[in-house]
Amino acid sequence: MFAVLVYDVGEKRVARALKTCRKYLTWVQNSVFEGEISEVNLKKLKAELKRVMDEDEDSVIIYTWRVQRYSSRDILGVEKGNIDLFI
Amino acid sequence: MFAVLVYDVGEKRVARALKTCRKYLTWVQNSVFEGEISEVNLKKLKAELKRVMDEDEDSVIIYTWRVQRYSSRDILGVEKGNIDLFI
């Protein structure tokens, strides 16, 4: 299936959350990730994120689609996802 | 069509960007909005956002789907979109 994930996590946990999401999805920009993912990997991703995040402070939203990716994706302004922080 | 919008704008412009997005979409959490929107209103929204944002610093990503909303939406942690900042 196709997934779009957006996180909002405290600064201290951002690096780990980013690393976790990038294991399974493509980083689109800042806090947004997307990609094809299996049911099994989505479960793994959720479990790993729950270990990284503070569930009383942070939030993560995950949309999934079984049929199609999307009809269009428009980016206004800066495309931040292409910058690799770890290089 | 159904749209999911995520913004990442500088602090000074957040209040105006939030207000603009809420005119057309439902606030899901922090920087995430979703909802049914017409082609015409999507154009208006983009034009209004471009006036609010700094296109060299900020970014907005808009996904649209013509066929279906989504298969699932999971929220981990806090549901921040329900808090109304303006009350």
Side-chain angles (χ1 to χ4, degrees):
Chain A
M1 72 189 103
F2 181 73
V4 171
L5 181 154
V6 186
Y7 64 49
D8 174 38
V9 299
E11 226 181 302
K12 286 181 191 168
R13 296 174 294 278
V14 161
R16 283 188 65 201
L18 175 64
K19 204 176 160 192
T20 303
C21 293
R22 291 181 85 189
K23 269 175 67 180
Y24 299 97
L25 298 168
T26 304
W27 192 23
V28 185
Q29 77 183 232
N30 266 8
S31 54
V32 187
F33 301 80
E34 65 170 49
E36 284 296 330
I37 190 167
S38 67
E39 198 87 52
V40 173
N41 278 344
L42 185 61
K43 268 193 187 166
K44 281 190 198 167
L45 171 56
K46 283 183 196 172
E48 288 177 37
L49 272 174
K50 280 183 180 174
R51 283 200 294 274
V52 169
M53 66 193 283
D54 175 341
E55 289 192 58
D56 295 326
E57 284 207 7
D58 305 334
S59 66
V60 171
I61 183 161
I62 306 168
Y63 292 91
T64 65
W65 287 265
R66 279 171 206 289
V67 185
Q68 53 159 180
R69 291 172 71 91
Y70 40 75
S71 305
S72 74
R73 186 185 67 190
D74 288 323
I75 295 174
L76 314 179
V78 194
E79 273 199 61
K80 297 186 181 178
N82 296 326
I83 302 155
D84 197 331
L85 284 179
F86 298 111
I87 287 179
Chain B
M1 74 189 102
F2 180 72
V4 171
L5 181 153
V6 185
Y7 64 50
D8 174 39
V9 299
E11 224 182 302
K12 285 182 190 167
R13 296 174 293 279
V14 161
R16 282 188 66 201
L18 176 64
K19 204 177 161 190
T20 302
C21 292
R22 291 182 85 188
K23 269 175 69 179
Y24 298 97
L25 297 169
T26 304
W27 193 22
V28 186
Q29 76 182 232
N30 267 9
S31 54
V32 187
F33 302 80
E34 65 170 50
E36 285 295 329
I37 191 166
S38 67
E39 199 88 51
V40 173
N41 278 345
L42 184 61
K43 269 194 185 165
K44 280 190 199 167
L45 171 56
K46 283 184 196 171
E48 286 176 40
L49 272 176
K50 281 183 180 174
R51 283 199 295 274
V52 168
M53 65 194 282
D54 175 340
E55 289 193 58
D56 295 325
E57 284 207 8
D58 304 334
S59 67
V60 171
I61 182 161
I62 306 168
Y63 292 91
T64 65
W65 288 265
R66 279 172 207 289
V67 184
Q68 53 161 178
R69 291 171 72 90
Y70 40 76
S71 305
S72 73
R73 186 184 68 190
D74 288 322
I75 295 175
L76 313 179
V78 195
E79 274 199 59
K80 297 186 182 178
N82 296 325
I83 303 154
D84 198 330
L85 285 179
F86 297 112
I87 287 179

